[in-house]
């Protein structure tokens, strides 16, 4: 997806949030704030983007958004239980309507047989208590994995929560 297409996707998400009178927060690890950047590239996004959390380390995940250190130890940062807690913690901390969380292995190092480079977990939480998770394995270099994860997060948010509203 080109930068222009990413900007259009961010605008579509923002327009839907604005229409609902809803707000969004993001808890990002491997994308390092790319979702927040894509969103805040849209003029007027302060009306619907509350705040973002770049929780790259396990300590940041625990301190900033309340991820249980025992869950991090048991499952690892790149796991379904962690992205659930990231999304729910960000939702609560930001008092937002929706949250997206992302934790993955962008590479080139850090992969394993069970979690190869390109593995990314996503969590989506809504103020109504709905939680959705997704798992993807993207191809490409570090930049490509991070871009694909950012696009996937915004598209899934749109499809799961905003499009039907």
């Amino acid at each position: 997806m080109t930068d222009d297409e990413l900007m259009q996707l961010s605008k579509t998400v923002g327009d839907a949030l604005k229409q609902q009178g809803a707000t969004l927060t993001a808890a990002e690890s491997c994308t390092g704030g790319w979702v927040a950047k894509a969103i805040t590239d849209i003029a007027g996004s302060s009306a619907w983007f509350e705040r973002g959390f770049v929780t790259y380390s396990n300590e940041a995940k625990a301190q900033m958004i309340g991820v249980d250190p025992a869950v991090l130890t048991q499952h690892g940062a790149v796991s379904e239980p962690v992205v659930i807690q990231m999304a729910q913690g960000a939702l609560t901390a930001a008092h937002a309507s929706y949250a997206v969380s992302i934790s993955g292995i962008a590479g080139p190092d850090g992969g394993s047989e069970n979690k190869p480079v390109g593995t990314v977990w996503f969590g989506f939480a809504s103020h109504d208590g709905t939680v959705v998770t997704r798992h993807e394995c993207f191809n490409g270099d570090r930049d490509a994995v991070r871009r694909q994860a950012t696009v996937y997060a915004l598209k899934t948010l749109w499809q799961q929560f905003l499009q039907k509203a």
Side-chain angles (χ1 to χ4, degrees):
M1 178 174 275
T2 67
D3 286 347
D4 287 344
E5 291 168 327
L6 179 55
M7 184 171 272
Q8 184 54 51
L9 175 59
S10 297
K11 185 176 178 342
T12 299
V13 167
D15 289 345
L17 287 162
K18 203 169 9 174
Q19 221 170 13
Q20 288 184 28
T23 57
L24 174 66
T25 187
E28 302 180 66
S29 188
C30 69
T31 49
W34 203 335
V35 169
K37 185 219 180 294
I39 290 166
T40 58
D41 279 348
I42 307 304
S45 58
S46 61
W48 49 271
F49 185 65
E50 173 54 36
R51 69 186 81 168
F53 302 91
V54 178
T55 56
Y56 208 68
S57 70
N58 287 351
E59 185 177 343
K61 287 173 183 64
Q63 284 180 353
M64 294 173 69
I65 52 176
V67 175
D68 183 346
V71 172
L72 283 160
T73 300
Q74 183 178 357
H75 298 281
V78 182
S79 65
E80 184 176 40
V82 169
V83 295
I84 289 170
Q85 288 192 7
M86 287 174 68
Q88 290 174 326
L91 190 75
T92 299
H95 306 286
S97 308
Y98 301 99
V100 58
S101 63
I102 305 168
S103 188
I105 304 164
D109 302 320
S112 67
E113 190 175 324
N114 292 336
K115 295 179 186 178
V117 169
T119 300
V120 182
W121 274 96
F122 301 86
F124 304 89
S126 171
H127 57 94
D128 69 4
T130 302
V131 176
V132 174
T133 60
R134 295 282 186 272
H135 169 254
E136 291 293 322
C137 196
F138 299 113
N139 293 314
D141 64 11
R142 182 175 182 81
D143 190 64
V145 168
R146 294 174 62 189
R147 176 178 289 273
Q148 290 171 82
T150 299
V151 169
Y152 185 89
L154 290 171
K155 278 187 176 178
T156 304
L157 176 71
W158 164 252
Q159 292 167 346
Q160 286 290 299
F161 294 100
L162 304 173
Q163 189 174 25
K164 39 188 163 168

